[in-house]
Amino acid sequence: FGIADPQGAMLYIPAAVLLLITAAALWSPRVVVLLGALSALGYAALLPFQAHAGPVATFTLVALMACVVGLSAVNAQSRRRLEARRRAAEQRAQTLLEASADAVLAVGRNGVVKYVSPSLTRLLGHDAGSLLGRRVADLIPPDRVPFVDDFFTRLAAQPIGGNARTESRVLNTDGEWVH
């Protein structure tokens, strides 16, 4: 750029685009449009004097800049909508899990309990928090451990987001195996 553009007027575009892309990832569409408008106005003022661009070239470059601003604002709006939809889906799933009469466990690949639904307390007497971090093998009858290990192996072979269901007897707080 230095040889073809000694005044640095053309470096303004990549800098402004980077600013807008970053703004679209962090802030609302209004902020993106405000920053974009300021950038376009600055560029419109810079071009005729620094780069000696004529009115047609100035208009064309500022119009291209306006397109980048518009696309960045759309990107910011889409990101916000997706984030809101993700939060709503997580809230729905949490509500369903909390209201479920079934005991629901989320177990990591290593067989350690990561989530326990509140219904487990009603069904087995265990405080849900006391089971977090424990291995599932500690909660099921010893004769079921190979079956459950096989189940987890098959589950881990599924694509990300895959799920499966199984049933087993579980030890309650009275020391009884409950189905």
Side-chain angles (χ1 to χ4, degrees), residues 11 29 34 47 58 70 74 92 114 125 127 164 171:
L11 288 175
L34 176 66
L47 280 174
T58 300
V74 167
R92 278 192 306 274
K114 305 269 186 194
D127 175 49
L171 190 63

Side-chain angles (χ1 to χ4, degrees), residues 56-146:
V56 173
T58 300
F59 176 79
T60 302
L61 290 170
V62 170
L64 287 172
M65 190 83 161
C67 289
V68 170
V69 170
L71 289 172
S72 296
V74 167
N75 182 27
Q77 182 64 30
S78 296
R79 182 186 46 77
R80 286 193 161 226
R81 283 185 184 147
L82 286 172
E83 182 67 21
R85 288 172 62 189
R86 183 193 58 77
R87 278 194 306 270
E90 286 177 356
Q91 183 61 42
R92 278 192 306 274
Q94 184 69 25
T95 301
L96 287 171
L97 287 172
E98 289 176 0
S100 174
D102 291 334
V104 179
L105 298 173
V107 181
R109 288 186 179 264
N110 57 359
V112 174
V113 177
K114 305 269 186 194
Y115 171 83
V116 179
S117 65
S119 60
L120 197 75
T121 302
R122 291 189 309 271
L123 296 170
L124 301 174
H126 291 287
D127 175 49
S130 70
L131 297 178
L132 295 176
R134 290 183 61 189
R135 294 188 45 76
V136 171
D138 299 339
L139 306 172
I140 61 174
D143 64 320
R144 295 284 294 162
V145 171

Side-chain angles (χ1 to χ4, degrees), residues 32-52:
V32 171
V33 169
L34 176 66
L35 288 173
L38 291 173
S39 296
L41 287 173
Y43 199 49
L46 174 74
L47 280 174
F49 303 109
Q50 283 293 91
H52 306 292

